[in-house]
Amino acid sequence: MPLVISYAALFLSVILLQLSSGGVAPLDALSGLELGFTNAQIGLLGSAHFVGFFIGCWWAPRLMGSVGHSRAFAAFTAMGAMGLIAHMMLVDPYVWALLRLATGLCLAGCYTVVEAWLQGKAENANRGRVMGAYRVADMGGSLCAQLVVAVLAPASYVSYNVLALLCCAAILPLTLTRASPPETPEAPRLIPALAWRLSPLAVAGVLVAAVSSASFRMVSPIYGEGVGLSADRIAWFLAAWVLGGALAQYPVGWLADRYDRRWVLIWLSVASIGACVTTVVVGGGSHALVFLNAMLFGAVSFPIYSVSASHAHDHAASHERVELSAALMFYFALGAIAAPLLASTLMERFGSGALFAMIAVAHAGLVLFGLVRMRLRDAPQLRTPYVWLPRTTFTIGRLFGARRDGAPPGATPRRQARAEPPDANE
């Protein structure tokens, strides 16, 4: 029972954290449009968020080692709440970019604490159920966050205060639980070259996943405003994207465990290109079609990160999994930092449809690169089970490593650990 209570507290903190952090990106974009910010300035806010996210992923394990899980979580949530409250006190896009550093740092730091706690408490007997509940809490909170924005007025003290209150509320379940925190894990080594050595295609897939999700999450409200969506309908537009991504994970995972993952990755990118083209074509038409295309785009673009990560882990030894997961998150962070600013700049110059044109070009590049890699390298004979990975922290590999090395009954046999790196021509 103490273990169950501990998990309930963690999941409630995750939901409240997502309601706060998941709402600030669309609210910032809508507020920026209301206040007359340029598209490039709105994109800068999204890029600043991921700079803070990267810093938080790197710093959080070290802070946990110094002050413990609960105090680190409280410190990060305080940073996020201060960043939210200060928005309407200092109305300037460049000041807001600095404040978004704080909210990005808050998100990465809090998720690092939660995932380290889960990793320390979960056992092999219940790990699958715990991870499933964690993903439901994370995705459910993200979906509800988009709907919260529908009832918040842009550029309003009250709106940002509501998000700050939710951020503060996230402190309570985790800090008041009676369950003792686990030992602080060592920070994973960050070796970006490891991911490229094991699978260049996985690195390319992660970068394209970052371009798709970061640019859509951070600047798609500009597109919505350009095609005539009201603020509440823009929130539903984002919610449809998140819902499509959640619904697609299990069927895509089924395909990725039964067919060559490189073909799954290529066809997901082809479908993403089709969704981008369709979204631009129907942009000025029925709002129902706009929502449907957002759901379709989420369904075909969301799973790309998990498929890419699974393909990379097919070529990894057991002792490389944690560092590999950290390296993939590093590449995702790089792509996510650049994408919102680039997308918003293109939209300012060429119109709102440039967002989906940029995403389509990225996916076209992934298709071509995937076809080239398939000619240079055979598919691995033994594969790890597909795992739906949240794109949260550098420590995510510790949480899901056992799932890859301990395949459930009926899954594809796992790859055995190796002492030496794979041959480049394997």
Side-chain angles (χ1 to χ4, degrees), residues 24-53 83 87 90-105 160 214-215 217-219 222 336-342 344-345:
V24 66
L27 182 60
D28 264 3
L30 294 171
S31 298
L33 291 170
E34 184 82 11
L35 296 169
F37 294 177
T38 66
N39 290 350
Q41 289 170 338
I42 293 174
L44 176 64
L45 303 181
S47 295
H49 169 87
F50 284 104
V51 172
F53 168 85
H87 267 67
L90 300 166
V91 181
D92 180 86
Y94 301 104
V95 173
W96 281 24
L98 293 176
L99 298 177
R100 287 299 297 276
L101 287 173
T103 58
L105 195 153
Y160 283 99
S215 57
R217 183 185 295 273
M218 297 299 171
V219 300
I222 301 175
I337 290 170
L341 183 57
L342 176 59
S344 60
T345 302

Side-chain angles (χ1 to χ4, degrees), residues 311-347:
H311 178 64
H313 280 277
D314 290 343
H315 299 282
S318 296
H319 65 276
E320 296 173 316
R321 300 210 185 283
V322 175
E323 285 76 17
L324 174 58
S325 295
L328 292 174
M329 278 301 306
F330 167 79
Y331 285 110
F332 181 85
L334 288 185
I337 290 170
L341 183 57
L342 176 59
S344 60
T345 302
L346 292 173
M347 293 170 75

Side-chain angles (χ1 to χ4, degrees), residues 112-151:
T112 299
V113 173
V114 168
E115 289 170 2
W117 199 312
L118 284 175
Q119 192 274 333
K121 291 294 185 179
E123 301 173 352
N124 289 336
N126 63 7
R127 186 178 297 272
R129 293 189 298 275
V130 171
M131 297 305 99
Y134 171 57
R135 286 184 294 240
V136 169
D138 177 56
M139 190 62 73
S142 178
L143 178 61
C144 293
Q146 314 311 315
L147 302 180
V148 167
V149 176
V151 299

Side-chain angles (χ1 to χ4, degrees), residues 32 86 132 141 160 168 213 226 230-231 259 272 279 283 297 303 323 347 368 377:
Y160 283 99
C168 291
S213 63
S230 60
Y259 301 98
S272 296
T279 301
F297 178 68
E323 285 76 17
M347 293 170 75
L368 293 175
R377 188 181 198 181

Side-chain angles (χ1 to χ4, degrees), residues 317-319 321 384-385 400-407 414-415:
S318 296
H319 65 276
R321 300 210 185 283
T384 63
F400 289 91
R403 293 286 306 279
R404 297 195 187 278
D405 285 327
R414 63 185 173 90
R415 191 180 187 91

Side-chain angles (χ1 to χ4, degrees), residues 279-312:
T279 301
V280 173
V281 170
V282 305
S286 168
H287 288 176
L289 287 177
V290 173
F291 297 153
L292 184 61
N293 276 292
M295 183 180 294
L296 174 62
F297 178 68
V300 295
S301 64
F302 245 93
I304 285 178
Y305 181 89
S306 295
V307 175
S308 299
S310 295
H311 178 64

Side-chain angles (χ1 to χ4, degrees), residues 243-259 264 268 298-300 303 307 386 388:
L243 180 61
L247 294 176
Q249 291 292 344
Y250 287 105
V252 170
W254 184 87
L255 291 171
D257 277 340
R258 285 158 179 79
Y259 301 98
V264 175
L268 283 174
V300 295
V307 175
Y386 175 86
W388 173 10

